[in-house]
Amino acid sequence: MDALARQGGGSVLWLLRANAWADANLLREAKSRGVDPARVIFANPMPHELHLARPKQADLVLDTFNVDAHTTATDALWGGVASRHAAGAAVRRTGGLQLADGARRAGTGGAM
């Protein structure tokens, strides 16, 4: 993530706003790793139907090893946004990958 954030041109890290302490910690960590804190965007909670429009504004959803994107990645995949997942043993990851496989099969007539 560090290299991508430093080299990603116009890329941003787009996160759901949790609380002021988490926001401050993430901004501080970005700065300490040489990433402009202005490239960290916090999205406020909103009604679900409006939230589902958000992934369509992205080019790529990145997933992490320990805390996977599950529903976010699934929403993004159904919205046509690419999703990159870290390999690992996170139990919840299988749900998103199974849905991704189903979406891929649906889009290709079952071809793998």
Side-chain angles (χ1 to χ4, degrees):
M1 174 61 194
D2 290 348
L4 184 64
R6 285 192 297 272
Q7 299 171 19
S11 67
V12 297
L13 179 60
W14 189 10
L15 303 165
L16 184 62
R17 184 176 302 277
N19 60 59
W21 300 283
D23 294 0
N25 287 339
L26 287 164
L27 292 172
R28 185 182 64 247
E29 189 64 27
K31 186 174 183 178
S32 76
R33 293 174 182 260
V35 176
D36 181 356
R39 293 178 52 208
V40 180
I41 298 172
F42 297 101
N44 291 316
M46 60 177 28
H48 189 68
E49 61 277 359
L50 296 175
H51 170 70
L52 290 177
R54 286 177 168 163
K56 295 175 185 174
Q57 305 303 311
D59 297 314
L60 175 68
V61 170
L62 296 177
D63 200 355
T64 61
F65 176 72
N66 292 326
V67 181
D68 67 43
H70 195 269
T71 303
T72 300
T74 302
D75 292 345
L77 288 168
W78 283 114
V81 179
S83 183
R84 176 78 174 150
H85 299 268
V91 174
R92 295 178 296 155
R93 185 176 322 284
T94 58
L97 293 178
Q98 288 170 350
L99 286 169
D101 182 51
R104 182 178 60 197
R105 288 174 189 240
T108 61
M112 295 301 284

